[in-house]
Amino acid sequence: MNRIFSGIQPTGNLHLGNYLGAIRNWVALQHDYECIFCIVDLHALTLPQEPDALRHATREVTAAYIAAGIDTEHCIIFNQSMVTAHAELAWLLGCLTPLGWLNRMTQFKEKAGKQRDLAGLGLYAYPVLMAADILAYKATHVPVGEDQKQHLELARDIAGAFNRRYERDFFPLPEPQIFGEATRVMSLRDGTKKMSKSDTSDYSRINMTDDADAIALKIRRAKTDPEPLPETVEALEARPEADNLVGIYAALTNATREAALVQFAGQNFSTFKEALSGVSVDVLGKIGGEMRRLMADPGHIDAILHRGAERAAAIAMPVLDEVKEITGLLRP
Ligand code: AQP
């Protein structure tokens, strides 16, 4: 059976983009693959984190996976730092990764901003750790949002570099799986910017734990333009905010943008936003409620993570051992 690996950073404020771009697709795919879903806490450390907040966010992401419908019996759910193979393999792969490849990564440029010299080595090396996450399980498929496409291409390049260097077909080249009408959910305040956990404005995103009132208020306040909704998808191209909201509506109703426009063409945003609030509350309300219920019992969440880490290590550690053998490292 093909194997999926994917993950989310526990950096707080899980949002609709994480749900539509990642978690929801995992739920749909989980019974067609062997699945490993990680809470990538080592990735979170590439930017400063407050320790208690990191622990809380790690449990909250776990709760989100379960509340959204990931089956913990079938799938492996664990936090990255519990399986040491990720960090060890990242070093071994980093030694094969030319700086030129990392210099092309747009996420580093965006996150490091103008003060690039002050950014940490971890932020720069993030894509190598991501490659290690995937390759430690010889994963064949990686369902992600569109923003991670470049990192996934790099993971394929690194896998290819290892295979060439040691002249064997050891790592499969992982395939990205990017689908749905909301592969890149944009900020509610600026349709040209990705919806993000770290945006300082809470009005830029719908959090998975927002209640019905908060969701409705944020959608009411979402930036739009003065024109009514158009008849064609092409007419949305020059209207990023309208395009984003129509894409979200389509994704939440399992429809296409075309179908959403058949329903709303010619109508003004207030009518459309009301419908969008309704479907958002329908989908996220239940998940948020279940997340809160799960978070009331952190011991149960920790037990799921421990069990998941054991199952994950049973796959990753033998792969790491083989890599060490191939690489020429003596082992105990
Ligand atoms: N806006 C988005 N639209 C669609 N998919 C998205 N993803 C994130 N944002 C969107 C997908 O969610 C998964 C987990 O991402 P992550 O949290 O590990 O890292 P990120 O992409 O850096 O997410 P954020 O929200 O922007 O976090 P911060 O602000 O902490 O950097 C991935 O599959 C991603 O594609």
Side-chain angles (χ1 to χ4, degrees):
M1 194 186 244
N2 286 323
R3 185 179 283 157
I4 276 179
F5 180 95
S6 199
I8 292 185
Q9 299 182 73
T11 39
N13 301 320
L14 267 183
H15 53 74
L16 188 62
N18 298 131
Y19 178 65
L20 294 177
I23 303 174
R24 191 176 75 151
N25 297 330
W26 305 352
V27 174
L29 293 167
Q30 64 181 325
H31 292 296
D32 297 330
Y33 295 81
E34 186 185 345
C35 289
I36 302 163
F37 297 123
C38 193
I39 296 92
V40 285
D41 49 7
L42 296 176
H43 282 280
L45 291 177
T46 56
L47 291 174
Q49 305 295 333
E50 205 276 306
D52 282 338
L54 179 60
R55 274 185 279 272
H56 177 86
T58 301
R59 294 187 177 114
E60 192 171 73
V61 176
T62 312
Y65 290 1
I66 302 167
I70 300 290
D71 173 356
T72 56
E73 287 304 309
H74 175 63
C75 305
I76 297 176
I77 297 181
F78 73 107
N79 58 307
Q80 185 186 25
S81 61
M82 281 203 211
V83 179
T84 57
H86 294 247
E88 282 192 72
L89 186 59
W91 177 262
L92 300 175
L93 297 179
C95 293
L96 290 174
T97 308
L99 291 188
W101 292 2
L102 293 176
N103 289 339
R104 289 204 299 267
M105 296 298 112
T106 52
Q107 182 173 291
F108 174 75
K109 291 178 196 160
E110 280 162 21
K111 291 200 172 179
K114 292 203 176 76
Q115 298 198 299
R116 202 177 292 187
D117 285 353
L118 295 179
L121 174 62
L123 189 63
Y124 187 66
Y126 178 116
V128 180
L129 179 58
M130 179 165 156
D133 297 338
I134 298 163
L135 299 179
Y137 300 89
K138 293 191 169 181
T140 53
H141 293 82
V142 186
V144 282
E146 208 179 72
D147 58 313
Q148 291 298 331
K149 196 167 166 217
Q150 193 186 37
H151 288 165
L152 216 39
E153 277 159 11
L154 185 78
R156 289 169 62 89
D157 288 343
I158 293 175
F162 183 93
N163 292 348
R164 276 194 306 282
R165 167 73 180 79
Y166 295 103
E167 296 178 340
R168 66 196 75 199
D169 220 8
F170 184 73
F171 287 123
L173 303 190
E175 289 287 338
Q177 292 175 305
I178 299 173
F179 23 57
E181 284 286 335
T183 55
R184 195 178 185 87
V185 178
M186 308 309 273
S187 158
L188 299 181
R189 310 297 279 170
D190 177 352
T192 62
K193 242 174 79 183
K194 185 181 90 142
M195 185 177 284
S196 164
K197 298 195 214 86
S198 51
D199 195 313
T200 47
S201 166
D202 199 46
Y203 283 97
S204 68
R205 66 182 158 258
I206 298 176
N207 300 312
M208 287 182 70
T209 45
D210 281 343
D211 62 20
D213 289 343
I215 293 174
L217 180 64
K218 287 178 179 180
I219 291 178
R220 256 201 320 279
R221 287 209 184 166
K223 186 175 169 199
T224 46
D225 56 50
E227 303 297 317
L229 284 152
E231 282 179 11
T232 64
V233 172
E234 293 70 47
L236 285 173
E237 269 165 29
R239 300 171 64 184
E241 283 82 20
D243 184 45
N244 187 36
L245 296 184
V246 171
I248 293 173
Y249 183 87
L252 287 171
T253 54
N254 294 311
T256 57
R257 279 175 165 73
E258 283 85 354
L261 289 179
V262 167
Q263 213 181 331
F264 292 103
Q267 302 200 31
N268 58 30
F269 274 102
S270 57
T271 315
F272 172 70
K273 281 180 168 181
E274 230 170 273
L276 180 59
S277 288
V279 294
S280 304
V281 171
D282 275 353
V283 174
L284 290 184
K286 280 191 216 100
I287 297 175
E290 183 60 8
M291 281 173 71
R292 280 187 285 278
R293 194 188 67 76
L294 288 162
M295 286 296 283
D297 185 358
H300 175 63
I301 292 182
D302 291 359
I304 289 171
L305 292 174
H306 287 139
R307 168 89 186 103
E310 279 170 13
R311 292 167 69 196
I315 302 172
M317 294 317 272
V319 173
L320 178 66
D321 274 348
E322 267 191 276
V323 171
K324 287 181 176 172
E325 179 68 35
I326 293 169
T327 310
L329 298 173
L330 289 179
R331 286 175 297 118

